Amino acid sequence: MQLHSLCYKINTMIIKKFIEPPIENNNYLLIDEESKEALLIDCSAYDENIFIELKKYDAKLKYILLTHGHFDHITGLNEMSEGAQVLLHNGDSEWISELNTYLPMVGMPHMKEPRIDGFVNDGDIIKLGNIEIRVIHTPGHTQGGVCFLVENNLFSGDTI
């Protein structure tokens, strides 16, 4: 797994991009330096580098926000989500419950169904310290696809 060179800071927020298998998806780690809270947008694979970054900033992973429920955005959840709240739009809950029906279709082995702790809706605000993350429902790629707006940064999964 490779840490992409993208790393930037906006006020007290650090943003780091990780490119993850199985098909090189972008996963984003956001860390609020003031509150020492962090969130991960999408969770494609287990990546020890994410925990190294959390430790480097003495931050705790508070949330894992999923842009949608396709396998290539969730297969790291079982190993990465301990202590964090996993949030998804309810429109994609079937992708989670039917995970082992479609994994073999893409050549992936079965896996334990990941835990989803809650659901987000269009317009919801998620707080990371003093940073606000706005949920924007963007159905199309999937029924429950969402983007996350953080200041002037829009994070999307496979929304076109």
Side-chain angles (χ1 to χ4, degrees), residues 65-77:
L65 307 179
L66 302 173
T67 59
H68 63 291
H70 282 166
F71 77 96
D72 55 324
H73 292 259
I74 67 165
T75 52
L77 282 175

Side-chain angles (χ1 to χ4, degrees), residues 41-42 65-69 73 92 142 144-146 148 155-158:
I41 298 175
D42 286 335
L65 307 179
L66 302 173
T67 59
H68 63 291
H73 292 259
D92 274 11
T142 66
V146 296
F148 299 103
F155 297 90
S156 66
D158 294 340

Side-chain angles (χ1 to χ4, degrees), residues 50-64:
I50 292 171
F51 293 111
I52 290 169
E53 290 298 315
L54 289 168
K55 187 174 182 178
K56 176 179 167 182
Y57 292 98
D58 192 30
K60 182 178 188 286
L61 189 61
K62 184 174 181 178
Y63 298 109
I64 297 177

Side-chain angles (χ1 to χ4, degrees), residues 1-3 18-20 45-51 80:
M1 282 156 260
Q2 154 192 356
L3 173 62
F18 295 81
I19 300 174
E20 304 291 0
Y46 174 81
D47 189 339
E48 183 65 30
N49 291 309
I50 292 171
F51 293 111
M80 298 288 292

Side-chain angles (χ1 to χ4, degrees), residues 56-129:
K56 176 179 167 182
Y57 292 98
D58 192 30
K60 182 178 188 286
L61 189 61
K62 184 174 181 178
Y63 298 109
I64 297 177
L65 307 179
L66 302 173
T67 59
H68 63 291
H70 282 166
F71 77 96
D72 55 324
H73 292 259
I74 67 165
T75 52
L77 282 175
N78 290 329
E79 295 83 15
M80 298 288 292
S81 64
E82 186 175 331
Q85 274 192 294
V86 179
L87 303 176
L88 172 77
H89 189 279
N90 191 42
D92 274 11
S93 59
E94 189 173 318
W95 284 106
I96 305 300
S97 63
E98 297 296 322
L99 178 66
N100 286 310
T101 301
Y102 68 85
L103 279 176
M105 293 178 199
V106 294
M108 300 279 296
H110 283 185
M111 64 179 272
K112 178 183 169 198
E113 183 179 315
R115 178 189 95 248
I116 303 297
D117 297 307
F119 298 102
V120 295
N121 294 296
D122 187 58
D124 285 354
I125 301 291
I126 299 162
K127 297 281 281 183
L128 188 69

